[in-house]
Amino acid sequence: MTVQDLPSLNAFLNTVAGVLLLLGYIAIKQGKRELHKKLMVSALGVSAAFLTSYLIYHYHVPSKKFPDLGWIKTVYFLILFPHIVLAAVMVPMILKTFWHAFREEWESHKKIAKITFPIWMYVSVTGVIVYFMLYHWFA
């Protein structure tokens, strides 16, 4: 594997994280706490692997410019900007959510998880969309 392969790996890791998050959400709604815990810890691990890979890639490779395709470029930026902002915001939120779970502060955990979950899902899904727009659909 080379540095050039990392965007594909990153998209894969984002996809896996999104699936784990969704399954974790379903598990807790069904009252399956242990399964929920395992899925969410797995999502955290996969997201940490993504972040590591993403930082390695961007250390070695400058940002790729999106081609000037008129309104499609506007759509790309409308997806990208909130993705970037929310990706930065979600890291401390995820850590706080996990901290409350670790300390078994369930009410605090539930309260922040209701905000963290949709943001984390949005960032995972839009990360994959950005990847396809940048490296496949409009490369």
Side-chain angles (χ1 to χ4, degrees):
M1 177 175 285
T2 68
V3 171
Q4 305 307 333
D5 298 318
L6 293 181
S8 297
L9 175 63
N10 295 343
F12 173 75
L13 292 171
N14 261 333
T15 301
V16 171
V19 169
L20 290 168
L21 289 169
L22 183 59
L23 292 173
Y25 177 80
I26 292 168
I28 200 62
K29 289 298 180 187
Q30 294 176 343
K32 299 175 181 175
R33 289 180 123 188
E34 280 304 309
L35 178 59
H36 170 76
K37 179 181 177 181
K38 289 175 184 174
L39 289 164
M40 299 313 284
V41 168
S42 297
L44 179 65
V46 169
S47 292
F50 160 80
L51 182 58
T52 302
S53 176
Y54 177 86
L55 293 173
I56 290 168
Y57 176 75
H58 283 288
Y59 176 79
H60 293 287
V61 179
S63 294
K64 183 172 174 154
K65 292 188 105 183
F66 193 83
D68 193 8
L69 298 173
W71 67 270
I72 294 172
K73 188 172 186 173
T74 302
V75 170
Y76 171 77
F77 283 125
L78 287 172
I79 295 168
L80 180 64
F81 288 144
H83 170 82
I84 291 169
V85 170
L86 291 172
V89 167
M90 79 175 196
V91 172
M93 292 178 71
I94 290 169
L95 296 175
K96 186 165 177 59
T97 304
F98 272 82
W99 176 253
H100 288 304
F102 176 76
R103 296 189 55 167
E104 297 183 1
E105 298 168 347
W106 302 122
E107 288 308 311
S108 297
H109 172 75
K110 283 191 252 181
K111 186 176 179 180
I112 192 168
K114 287 179 181 180
I115 302 165
T116 304
F117 171 75
I119 292 172
W120 197 353
M121 277 299 291
Y122 177 85
V123 170
S124 293
V125 170
T126 57
V128 176
I129 292 169
V130 165
Y131 163 76
F132 276 104
M133 290 182 82
L134 194 57
Y135 291 93
H136 293 286
W137 300 335
F138 307 108

